[in-house]
Structure formats: C-alpha cells, structure tokens
Amino acid sequence: LNCSTLPSAAMDQLLWKKLAANCVINPLTALFRCTNGELLLEPSFFELQQNLLREVAQVAQACCAATGTHDHLLDEGTLRQFVGQVIQD
C-alpha cells in the first residue's frame, strides 16, 4: 500500500465535508428518486441544498467552537463547493 497520513485537523475537515455531502445528497436522491447528477436538474434542489448545508455548517462550527478548533474551512460556502463537486463527479 502506498499510504500517507493526514494531520488530525485535515482529517476532521474531510470528515465534515463527507458528512455534508451525505446529508445533502442521500436524502435528496432518495426523495426525488434520482442519481446525484440528476439533482442538478431538479429546480427545488438548490433551496433544499442551501438549507441542509446551512444546518450542517452551523453544527460543524458549534462543534469546532466547543472543542476550541475554530475552522474557517467548514463554512457554508466551502461545504457547498465540496458537495457540488461530489454531485458533478
């Protein structure tokens, strides 16, 4: 195996991003009975995505604040960008 390690903070960021993608994509693809890419065709997707990402970002920021690890990379915009990439891939 050609493995590498990540600092704890970087791993935390990746886990929060994955959680954000799962919180947005999984319920919406189930609700609309579509693939990830087809979410881009659903007009109501963007508002639902924004609401879900806002909530995930608030939880992420609260958890970071509670542990003293304030992370500006877990804001709503950063999470939205990551989720958008996952949907398009």
Side-chain angles (χ1 to χ4, degrees), residues 8-83:
S8 178
M11 181 58 82
D12 288 346
Q13 288 173 6
L14 286 174
L15 290 172
W16 278 108
K17 288 178 178 179
K18 180 163 176 51
L19 177 67
N22 287 338
C23 286
V24 171
I25 295 169
N26 293 347
L28 295 182
T29 55
L31 180 65
F32 294 119
R33 298 179 189 265
C34 65
T35 64
N36 291 4
E38 290 173 330
L39 285 173
L40 299 174
L41 305 174
E42 173 57 47
S44 60
F45 164 70
F46 297 104
E47 182 180 351
L48 293 169
Q49 176 193 29
Q50 190 167 353
N51 292 338
L52 290 166
L53 285 172
R54 184 177 306 116
E55 188 168 345
V56 172
Q58 289 171 349
V59 172
Q61 292 297 322
C63 287
C64 288
T67 59
T69 58
H70 300 281
D71 194 335
H72 68 282
L73 296 175
L74 294 176
D75 63 30
E76 189 178 336
T78 302
L79 296 177
R80 182 181 300 110
Q81 181 179 9
F82 179 79
V83 171

